[in-house]
Amino acid sequence: YDGQKIKYDHNAILSDQAALRVSGQWTDDGGERVGEYEKGYSISPAFTYIPFESGKVKFTFDMEYYEAKRNRSEFQWIWPDEWFQTYDNPTLPYLQAAGLLDATATDADVTVALQDDYRARIFNSNVGYGRFVTDHRIVLGDSTWGGYRPSSGVMPRGAWYLDQNGAEVYQDDFNFASGGTYNQNQIRTLTYDLEVNPTDYLSLRYVYTNDRNHFDAIEGRRYVNADRHTFNTVQAGDTTQYDRETENHQLDAIFDLDVFGINGKVMVGGVITDTFQHYGGNVTGSTPLYFLVPGYNDPTYAANNPDRITLPGNFGNSATHPTQVLRGRDGRILTPEEIYTQFDPGHDAGGGIFGFAGKAINPDLSKVYLIERNPYDGYKGTQDAWYINTQFSFLEDDRLSLIAGYRKEQSKSKGQWLIANWPWFGAPPDAYQDQTAYPPSAWNYSPSYTAGLFGTDEGDSYNVGLSYAINDEISVYVTHSKTFKFNAGNYGGVLADKERLERMIQEALDFGYQGPSVPNAPGSYNYNGTIITSVQQGYDDIVARGALDDLQNEEGLNYEIGLKTSLNDNQLVSTLSIFRGERSDERLDDGAAQLADWYNGDRSGHELFPVGSEFNNRRNFRWRTTGRLNRIEGFEFETIWSPTPNFQALVNGSWLWEAATLEDPTRTKDTPAGDLLFNNRIENVPEFRFNFFANYTFTEGVLEGFTAGLGMRHSSKAVMNRNFAYMNADGSEGFYTGDYTVFDANISYPWEIIGLNITTQFQVSNLTDEKYHEGSYVLSPARNWTLSNTLSF
């Protein structure tokens, strides 16, 4: 692929007391796959002013404006051949696994009609593929078989599909992103920085930052269907829109101390951050609108969809020209939905459906997803913190140093700032306190949900460390720290909306589900073996299960001991360390609990709500857990060698001998799910890493100024996902990242023409075109090169 980038950086000394810097860049890049791009620009001016000759007051202004729009596939071919083979020829074991034939059936009972029923069952790349995985596990007798397992250990680049004649086509630059998808960022940040040094022992600094960001996206991927020639382009389709405004105030006071032979610094400070975030989505959530798609006005489609939207005039699919339709490779008129759910890149458009001049057109999601919607959701919050950090030196020549710090943080939620009908009507966040003036049905808010959005959470962190200089070249150190992270939400992963939950319970009571193969009996229902007979009992049961309890915050403990050297007049600088890091109470989805919860419909195999209900066939409870304890322990080193001014070499690496989950309340040891978690390494943590880079500059002769560099990155094998979709319990089979050695190289040369100083650099990444995965099932970039020129004046 190709791309262009221009960078500009200019410094200007305006006077002895003022300076200006302006930098910026423009980018227009392509991608490895068809249709990928990234376009954007940024500009960042900065101004510094020192008003007094004493230099004790300094003012700095910075601004950044950044805007970029991109389309990246960020997906890979992940489907096994078994799915396609079974679709082509559904055999007796699969029909039995699906319940289409019983255990006494024989091959003679397999009919074309039953095979067609099974094909329809597993056709779709979403639900259908999940059904195939379930059936295949039954046929194999292996509940841990995972579908995403490339036989070579590397996910293949590109995609396969069948052309008009049924021949297999391989397209290595296939773009899995649906047509019209993109994500776009706009960032505007202003910073004002005032530094004052009133005395030799005190300096003050105040920083104000104003940050305003906008993000919007149309999302969607092309997933192959089991027939191997059609793709679903609206799966995972949605739109997203965020606006965020942040104001940050930070004040620091730094004291320089020299008392009783102890040299030190103490910094005391605080931060207050106010955030206002808005969310907007498309008109219909993740449901596409097809009224602009060919075939929408076809008489057959119109007759089968009497409730569809009707619009006057010509909208690219004129009501006066109902014959404006697209046809599939079999000549059949496609419905608007099928144009998107059965995109056929192998159907040559010269006599086919999706384009012209022999080129297939990827259906554009911007035609069926609208970004803006009337409800414009908003949330305000404040985070404040105070902290103290110290650094003291003791003993002769300050050989012993102590560092220590403590930070206390608090997060306050200030309710829901919802504009029910943007931009005209919005209720205040405390509207739930006066529901007569602000009826919830008119202002589109939930009183119990809104009331639950006011609250305060807090946590603290600290660090302490000692460093001792054995001599001028060698020192040893030890550090310990505690961290924390706010975990938002509750354990049930459900809106803390009593009114909505009571409505859900009432619908379940009216439906009256009593259990598998048991007739419904309205007035009560069976929830996970408990008979619920009233709304109050159902709500109390949800509370008793802890669904509405706030999640516990995540915490971490870190320990490190190390050695630093600076030998041969700083020609050899090294760091060696042994460390342990632990994280507890990370917020994680509890997949087993979600599948076992009968409120979650077909995920659990029980449906408590009637068809058409807002609660039917959906995940009403997204159960979470915070009980996991992870530990990573190992050794790291880094050495920088500069024997001469024109040669530098950097070598670093790590041996992480432990990367394990020690505790998890959702998994039991000596079970397949427990073995999967406890017997395999933490995701994306290879046992070994090694990196090397060397740079040499010629200092004389015809090559004077010429620089050549060579680098190497190596990683041992790493787990990508401890999930049965990717690996089995003992780790003997599965999909892994890492296990690669990648080389990079660059050369540069400075030259002069008509008084201009230019440095030309040529850089090649992934020199040997290694196919490897680095933390994802998407292949890392293939060999690529960049040519850049820097002009200095």
Side-chain angles (χ1 to χ4, degrees), residues 173-350:
D173 59 353
F174 185 87
N175 190 345
F176 287 93
S178 298
T181 59
Y182 70 88
N183 61 61
Q184 183 170 258
N185 279 301
Q186 292 176 317
I187 298 172
R188 193 222 67 179
T189 304
L190 299 174
T191 303
Y192 303 90
D193 187 326
L194 177 64
E195 298 178 51
V196 181
N197 299 282
T199 68
D200 293 338
Y201 59 84
L202 173 64
S203 59
L204 302 171
R205 184 185 183 208
Y206 168 73
V207 181
Y208 169 76
T209 305
N210 183 293
D211 188 47
R212 296 189 179 187
N213 302 328
H214 174 82
F215 172 85
D216 60 75
I218 296 179
E219 305 163 3
R221 290 175 177 167
R222 299 196 289 181
Y223 291 85
V224 70
N225 293 314
D227 61 8
R228 289 197 299 165
H229 70 262
T230 63
F231 288 74
N232 186 342
T233 68
V234 291
Q235 188 171 325
D238 205 348
T239 66
T240 304
Q241 185 183 65
Y242 286 100
D243 289 287
R244 188 183 67 189
E245 302 174 23
T246 302
E247 285 194 350
N248 182 282
H249 303 265
Q250 179 177 352
L251 178 63
D252 293 330
I254 301 175
F255 300 89
D256 281 293
L257 305 176
D258 186 1
V259 294
F260 307 115
I262 299 174
N263 297 318
K265 287 186 177 183
V266 177
M267 180 176 74
V268 180
V271 178
I272 297 176
T273 303
D274 290 313
T275 302
F276 195 0
Q277 179 163 299
H278 297 277
Y279 167 74
N282 64 51
V283 175
T284 58
S286 59
T287 303
L289 299 173
Y290 291 106
F291 61 88
L292 296 179
V293 182
Y296 187 80
N297 290 313
D298 177 66
T300 302
Y301 183 78
N304 293 330
N305 295 272
D307 296 328
R308 77 199 202 299
I309 300 171
T310 57
L311 294 173
N314 189 334
F315 287 87
N317 184 25
S318 173
T320 61
H321 293 86
T323 56
Q324 187 188 95
V325 295
L326 298 176
R327 299 178 183 271
R329 59 174 61 193
D330 57 1
R332 180 177 58 86
I333 293 176
L334 296 174
T335 68
E337 289 91 339
E338 288 173 333
I339 290 174
Y340 281 82
T341 60
Q342 297 184 31
F343 165 58
D344 191 346
H347 179 18
D348 181 15

Side-chain angles (χ1 to χ4, degrees), residues 468-486:
Y468 179 71
I470 298 174
N471 53 44
D472 291 341
E473 296 183 326
I474 302 174
S475 62
V476 294
Y477 69 90
V478 59
T479 67
H480 167 59
S481 64
K482 176 209 167 192
T483 63
F484 95 100
K485 176 183 176 182
F486 289 120

